[in-house]
């Protein structure tokens, strides 16, 4: 078991099975970078966190949703690389928050994803990030996250 997998297990977390909701790749490698498609909060097996953040979903639950999205991204990243220990750096996160009118704490929601990545990867997990509020997301999911990672090889 690799270092990152051991940390996940120590946190009581596991990577969800990755499924695509369309005709696209879960992750695409270009040179030393891996571009991971957006992941939702949960899985088909466990269900998804849905609803508008700031109305149906509170900030704490939305942060959990962002964390689940990050786990989905890591699942795709592991599939692309074979081992999460091959990640040299998490470069960028882009988070979309299904926001109720007037909700403006998207950056706080995204701390759920960012915190997980820093906990797992340490300094290699510190990343650039954008947090965007949107009117709708596919299947009414509360949060969607995508990421870009760099590999050492």
């Amino acid at each position: 078991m690799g270092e990152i997998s051991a940390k996940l297990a120590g946190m009581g977390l596991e990577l969800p099975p990755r499924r695509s909701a369309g005709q696209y790749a879960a992750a695409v490698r270009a040179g030393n970078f891996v571009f991971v498609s957006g992941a939702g909060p949960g899985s088909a097996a466990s269900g998804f966190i849905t609803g508008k953040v700031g109305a149906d979903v509170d900030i704490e639950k939305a942060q959990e949703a962002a964390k689940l999205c990050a786990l989905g991204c890591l699942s795709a990243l592991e599939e692309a690389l074979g081992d999460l220990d091959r990640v040299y750096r998490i470069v960028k996160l882009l988070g979309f928050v299904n926001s109720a009118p007037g909700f403006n704490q998207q950056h706080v929601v995204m701390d759920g994803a960012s915190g997980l990545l820093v906990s797992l990867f340490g300094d290699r997990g510190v990343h650039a990030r954008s947090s965007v509020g949107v009117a709708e997301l596919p299947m009414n999911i509360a949060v969607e996250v995508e990421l870009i990672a760099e590999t050492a090889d």
Side-chain angles (χ1 to χ4, degrees), residues 41-54:
S43 68
S46 66
F48 290 92
I49 297 174
T50 60
K52 297 265 185 222
V53 179

Side-chain angles (χ1 to χ4, degrees), residues 15-21 39-50 68 72 75 139 141:
L15 299 180
R18 181 78 175 165
R19 88 163 176 71
S20 168
S43 68
S46 66
F48 290 92
I49 297 174
T50 60
L68 291 171
S75 179
M139 301 174 286
I141 57 176

